[in-house]
Amino acid sequence: MEPKKNPKANVGRNSSLYFAIGLMLMLFLTNYAINYKTYDKSNIDIGQLNLDDELDEEIPITEQLVTPPPPPPPPAPTEVIEVVEDEEEVEETIIQSTETSQTEKIVEVQQIVMEQVEEETEVPFAVIENVPTFPGCEKGDNNAKRKCMSEKIQEFVGKKFNTDLASDLGLSGRQRITVMFKIDKTGAVTGVQSRAPHPGLEKEAARVINLLPKMLPGKQRGKAVTVPYSLPIVFVVQE
């Protein structure tokens, strides 16, 4: 048996399209209703300009004051020209010419000899080729002389340094003094500087180092040079 409805006349197949159109229409009407505004025309006052009511400005009557003219300036004083006789004689300065003539003798200039000033060269104790030699350290190579010199200086300072000075100054415990000096080209000790917790210890350290004997100077490339040296002095004050 054939159905009576025509399949092309199915109304439900476009239901989603109709729903979307109806939804858009409702949103448009809702938005228009929310944004719709009304105004009360009776409360609007645009104002009114009345040109008839003009302010009459009263112009005061002023009187022009006539100022008197300024007095004439005083007459200028008459200049009196006095003629003074020139009685003083002025000596003229004569500038002599520096040009020479053919008859003038030319003085010969002797040759100028420039003296070369030898610069003070310092080479550190750790890298010098030939270290300064302390008396009694002449034997051995460079390392042996370096070790012998350090031991001799420490032994010399230990004998000459007044360790009782620290207790007399009120110091206690471990005391450290750093002494720096130079052994110049002649082997003499120069430029002694010391640092200590007390000036008295600094003075005593400098005194002892200045008592060091003269040494053989250090050499760099066969030439005598100045060698700086640093010596730490450490001792403990017995309480």
Side-chain angles (χ1 to χ4, degrees):
M1 184 177 180
E2 296 181 358
K4 296 181 180 181
K5 293 183 179 181
N6 188 359
K8 296 181 179 180
N10 187 7
V11 183
R13 64 179 180 179
N14 295 327
S15 61
S16 60
L17 177 63
Y18 298 149
F19 177 76
I21 294 173
L23 183 61
M24 291 176 62
L25 182 61
M26 291 301 296
L27 290 174
F28 175 75
L29 294 176
T30 304
N31 184 36
Y32 179 78
I34 292 173
N35 295 327
Y36 181 74
K37 295 181 180 180
T38 59
Y39 300 94
D40 190 3
K41 296 182 180 180
S42 60
N43 294 331
I44 298 175
D45 185 11
I46 61 175
Q48 186 176 2
L49 179 63
N50 188 4
L51 299 178
D52 296 336
D53 298 336
E54 295 182 356
L55 296 177
D56 296 335
E57 184 180 358
E58 295 183 359
I59 301 175
I61 300 173
T62 58
E63 181 180 358
Q64 185 176 2
L65 299 177
V66 179
T67 56
T78 304
E79 296 182 358
V80 178
I81 301 175
E82 183 179 358
V83 179
V84 180
E85 296 181 359
D86 190 4
E87 296 179 355
E88 297 181 358
E89 296 182 358
V90 180
E91 296 181 359
E92 296 182 357
T93 303
I94 301 174
I95 301 175
Q96 296 181 357
S97 176
T98 57
E99 296 181 358
T100 60
S101 60
Q102 295 180 355
T103 59
E104 187 176 357
K105 295 182 179 181
I106 299 175
V107 180
E108 295 182 358
V109 180
Q110 297 180 356
Q111 186 177 0
I112 301 174
V113 179
M114 300 293 292
E115 294 183 358
Q116 294 182 356
V117 179
E118 189 174 357
E119 296 182 357
E120 186 73 17
T121 305
E122 293 186 4
V123 180
F125 182 77
V127 297
I128 191 170
E129 294 178 355
N130 297 323
V131 297
T133 305
F134 196 88
C137 298
E138 291 81 4
K139 297 181 180 180
D141 57 0
N142 206 41
N143 293 328
K145 291 180 180 179
R146 183 183 288 109
K147 183 179 179 182
C148 179
M149 178 179 174
S150 299
E151 293 175 354
K152 290 286 185 179
I153 292 178
Q154 291 177 3
E155 182 181 356
F156 182 88
V157 172
K159 292 180 180 180
K160 299 294 183 179
F161 195 90
N162 183 13
T163 55
D164 296 334
L165 179 64
S167 58
D168 296 340
L169 296 174
L171 303 175
S172 61
R174 187 171 181 267
Q175 303 296 322
R176 180 182 178 87
I177 307 171
T178 303
V179 185
M180 294 170 288
F181 60 93
K182 298 178 182 179
I183 304 169
D184 63 7
K185 298 178 181 179
T186 63
V189 175
T190 60
V192 180
Q193 297 179 354
S194 59
R195 294 180 181 177
H198 194 278
L201 295 179
E202 295 179 354
K203 186 176 180 180
E204 176 65 14
R207 183 190 69 82
V208 174
I209 296 301
N210 284 318
L211 295 176
L212 286 172
K214 194 172 182 179
M215 316 174 200
L216 292 177
K219 292 184 179 181
Q220 185 74 10
R221 297 179 182 177
K223 185 178 179 181
V225 294
T226 302
V227 180
Y229 193 89
S230 178
L231 175 67
I233 302 174
V234 181
F235 63 95
V236 179
V237 180
Q238 301 295 336
E239 297 180 358

